[in-house]
Amino acid sequence: MLNDNEEDIHLTPPKKIMKNPTKHRAQKFRSEWLRVENLKKWLVPVDNDPFKAKCKLCNFTMVAELSNIKTHGNGKKHKEIEACTEIKQKSIKTFTTNKTPTKLDIDVKMAEIKLTAFLTEHNIAFLATDHISDVLKSCFKDSEIAKNISLKGTKTTSITKNVIDYCQKEELVSYLKTVQFSILTDESTDIGTVKSSCVILR
């Protein structure tokens, strides 16, 4: 008669010996991928490592397996970067090419300078220039100068600082060389603790 331990030995099924699972085989980068339409724009091999691939747009290195490469290509971040690179941008040469100004270009610039000088002399806010171009175009429909005027607050400020201010300083310096004058100066600090220094020539 078998005791309990001997019965357990015969009732328990023998332990199955699991075979070692097949190891994943690493895949090398294939040059054929560089001819695929949606891969050739950004996929490149990695130097000194045939088992890696690289996205030149994202500067990202990955395992050289087609499934991983396709997953990266369909990723949100990659799509955004790819969309940005496809936007056609103007060449920098278009901004630096020397172009001889026409008479109309000169007349438009003179009109913008005179309008800016008028606003400055009469202490009119530069915000008014956001609408002055549209008013001139609607009032003087037959004028090519009015049609080409493009004057806003930022441009008005730039003309005041870089054109009118510079010319006025040069003219003032030339005049002061020929006359006697006195100087009065004072400094003030506003509520924003910004210091301003005023110099008056008389």
Side-chain angles (χ1 to χ4, degrees), residues 75-89:
K76 182 179 179 181
K77 182 179 179 181
H78 175 84
K79 290 289 187 182
E80 291 176 354
I81 296 175
E82 190 176 22
C84 292
T85 57
E86 291 178 354
I87 296 175
K88 295 182 179 179
Q89 297 181 349

Side-chain angles (χ1 to χ4, degrees), residues 38-49:
N38 58 343
L39 299 180
K40 64 182 182 180
K41 295 180 181 179
W42 53 270
L43 185 65
V44 292
V46 176
D47 297 335
N48 303 323
D49 194 345

Side-chain angles (χ1 to χ4, degrees), residues 97-108:
T97 303
N98 293 327
K99 179 183 175 182
T100 303
T102 62
K103 184 179 183 302
L104 178 61
D105 294 334
I106 297 174
D107 291 340
V108 170

Side-chain angles (χ1 to χ4, degrees), residues 120-155:
T120 305
E121 183 179 1
H122 294 278
N123 197 25
I124 299 175
F126 287 171
L127 291 176
T129 57
D130 290 345
H131 308 285
I132 196 170
S133 299
D134 297 332
V135 173
L136 293 174
K137 290 176 182 179
S138 63
C139 292
F140 308 103
K141 297 180 181 180
D142 57 342
S143 173
E144 290 297 323
I145 297 176
K147 291 179 182 179
N148 288 274
I149 288 178
S150 177
L151 202 60
K152 300 292 182 180
T154 303
K155 189 174 184 179

